Amino acid sequence: MKTLPSVCPYDCPDACGLLVTVEKGRAIKVAGDPAHPFTRGTLCPKMAHYERTVHSPRRLTTPLRRVGKKGSGEFTPISWEEAINEITSRWKAIIARDGAEAILPYSYAGTMGVVQHGAFHGLFYRLGASELDRTICSPAKGRGYADVMGTTLSTAPQEAQESDCILLWSTHTLATNLHFRHDLAAARKNGAKIWCIDTYRSKTADLADYFVSVRPGTDGALALGILHILHGEGLTDRDFLEKHVLGWEGLAEKILPKYPPEKVAAIAGVPEEMLRALALAYGHARAPFIRLGSGQSRYRNGAMTTRLITCLPAAVGAWGKKGGGLLASANASRAYDVDIVHRPDWRQAGVRHVNMCQLGEALTADSRIKSLFVYSSNPACTAPDQNKVLAGLAREDLFTVVHERFLTDTARYADLLLPATTSLEQDDAYYSYGNYTLQCGWAAIPPVGESLSNWDLACRLAKALGIDDAFYDQSARMLSEKLIASTKSRWPGIDTDLLQSGRPTPLPLPTDYNRTFATKSGKIEIRNNTLSPALPDYMPLPADAEGFAFVNAPDMRILDSSFNEREELTRGNTMVLLIHPEDAAKFHITDGQRVTAQNERGEATFTAKLTASTVPGRVVSEGVWWRERISGEHSVNVLTSQRLTDEGAGSTFYDVRVNLQAK
Ligand SMILES: Nc1nc2c(c(=O)[nH]1)N[C@H]1C(S)=C(S)[C@@H](COP(=O)(O)OP(=O)(O)OC[C@H]3O[C@@H](n4cnc5c(=O)[nH]c(N)nc54)[C@H](O)[C@@H]3O)O[C@H]1N2
Ligand SMILES: Nc1nc2c(c(=O)[nH]1)N[C@H]1C(S)=C(S)[C@@H](COP(=O)(O)OP(=O)(O)OC[C@H]3O[C@@H](n4cnc5c(=O)[nH]c(N)nc54)[C@H](O)[C@@H]3O)O[C@H]1N2
Ligand code: SF4
Ligand SMILES: [Mo]
């Protein structure tokens, strides 16, 4: 028996340090690593029994060929040799007839490890396949932040311990950033007050001192309302604005007068007294800290909304005050030279791009795609406009290969289904996007069954396709070690021996990391002349016909659609719709009753839960569930749209309206 360090591979900002106990080639216990500077020895309930995922009886263990109808999930085992031969002969024929752009890779962050995440990039670049724009998460948030701050690093989460006023803004901390709760508790001990700004009263709202319920997609107006009050009350930091900020005068003269508190209260659905209280608390705080989630960014105005919220710490000079600032994303990935894995030098100019939020459209309206290769993602469940995605996946002429750990909704549509390893069976270098830590995860157990890691499969495919390049003679371990070496010039001061040892490795932050601003002008750019409009302003969402705003928030039990394989986590209610009792009365809906939500894209069935945690006109569901976990035909993404954000071409998952009907 031995205990090895590892790291949580999932798409979660915490990137927890793990201690894995291994006996006879099996992981028997997984615990938190107390040495991790942010996650500090605890895990979320999902990962506390990661060994149940790793050794689940549901793991795919051999390559499979489809024998039933697409979607039926009926397969027969085949050998790896047969699978690789079939893929290469089908792809060669497709390339000869339709060109390499007829092949589309589709992936996201099933694993966050740099090597396995980007393992197939080089192969598909080299083939000249269609390129996927990986936009499903929150590029609009990234854009909105960068529009104001450039590449300035966000404030480290542990600094919030020294803040006296913390805003949890569109983030369900207890579900998606659990370990920040330690910092919240420490800050609170020192007298800090915590505000939660969300569209419904989540469990995170219950943790806060104050809850601000905001109308979906109107946070930009809310930010302007706060700025209006700060300006009016003389609570801005004039000295800081003069020295470090471009465009404050323009904003104060041209934009803020349009957003008096009474108007903002009406737009955002926030009582005027609450708006004032929030603005005054923020303005009077010694070191206000904003933890900005992604909720506000998944709307047609998502980048602009983020841009407006990012103006707040500039107005009060929160940057550089110990405990103050804003954390959007920690960007620790910068420490690695990811091109070592991605091989952008193999990219071919002019190839077609497909935005992953528009997979449904790409597979249905555009029959040029003849083969789809899915890995590290489950688009049949997680991509918007599910009916379109499923119609595309059902196409008989689409040769679909899925590389997966489990029989997911997408895997059911595969022509060839290939078994993938879990993180405990593969080598990789990781980073966190919510705190400043790097870590390597070295294989702790051998591959389960005949599963192959993304990288090992990429090497097999490259060779079989005749790509004779020494790049594919390297192991994932060798690539990880090159990534470690690359940190030396990119982020000075990293303890690379510690990183190599597989233990959590803090990224040293320079003392002025959020006191100097990495923009073109060297100042925070409230006015950004490269953008139109140069000054940020609220963009109202166009009116939609349907009666209810539909918010589909994360669920604590799963992560996107990952962990649906675990019976003990997903037992019980999955498709629950939170409805305010007043709306329920109007529509004759009772608690526990079946109810359908529908719009022009489709219809999903839920169990109604009557609750004042939402407000009239707004319904809420949590989680993206596998079809086998729900009683109806479709999960939530049958309702969501392929429309993109204002900037960044990102997803608009929460920008949805529905009508309700009791069943
Ligand atoms: N348990 C669990 N953990 C997860 C995930 C999960 O699904 N489950 N997903 C992972 C992934 S991929 C990501 S990107 C991160 C995301 O982590 P976060 O950014 O923290 O969470 P989001 O899901 O983007 O949204 C958080 C909140 O935004 C709220 N919201 C929606 N619209 C608005 C709005 O207009 N204004 C405001 N103020 N709030 C709004 C939602 O109600 C929700 O509570 O979490 C990761 N961690
Ligand atoms: N309605 C709604 N939809 C959403 C969201 C929402 O809030 N609401 N959130 C969106 C967000 S933020 C995101 S990021 C996306 C994420 O959506 P997806 O990218 O689909 O993420 P997961 O559902 O976690 O699926 C990841 C899959 O990768 C597999 N996997 C894990 N490790 C490996 C590996 O090493 N190799 C291979 N080949 N496979 C592996 C897992 O078994 C799992 O099935 O979902 C989006 N969808
Ligand atoms: S899912 Fe997030 S909170 Fe849970 S163990 Fe992984 S990194 Fe930690
Ligand atoms: Mo995400």
Side-chain angles (χ1 to χ4, degrees), residues 574-622:
T574 53
M575 295 281 283
V576 173
L577 196 66
L578 311 183
I579 306 174
H580 191 272
E582 275 176 30
D583 286 336
K586 262 192 243 161
F587 287 78
H588 309 290
I589 296 167
T590 53
D591 198 59
Q593 190 181 356
R594 305 251 286 161
V595 55
T596 58
Q598 75 271 132
N599 59 26
E600 74 271 25
R601 288 174 291 277
E603 176 177 302
T605 305
F606 297 87
T607 305
K609 183 171 172 190
L610 309 196
T611 165
S613 62
T614 185
V615 298
R618 205 175 300 164
V619 291
V620 183
S621 80
E622 293 177 330

Side-chain angles (χ1 to χ4, degrees), residues 70-73 75 377-382 386 389-390 393 402 404 406-414 561 564 624-630 633-635:
K70 286 204 176 196
S72 68
F75 295 93
S377 190
N378 180 17
C381 188
T382 56
Q386 192 170 56
V389 175
L390 295 180
L393 290 174
V402 178
E404 246 303 341
F406 296 103
L407 185 59
T408 61
D409 292 2
T410 308
R412 288 174 184 276
Y413 286 85
S561 77
N564 264 283
V624 268
W625 303 98
W626 281 1
R627 260 168 125 176
E628 73 171 271
R629 298 283 175 220
I630 66 180
E633 266 291 289
H634 293 291
S635 47

Side-chain angles (χ1 to χ4, degrees), residues 88 112 143 209 214 272 384 395 410 432 466 472 486 603 616 653:
T88 46
M112 289 290 292
R143 264 301 285 270
D209 298 289
V214 62
E272 210 179 313
R395 259 175 53 194
T410 308
S432 158
Y472 292 111
S486 75
E603 176 177 302
F653 282 110

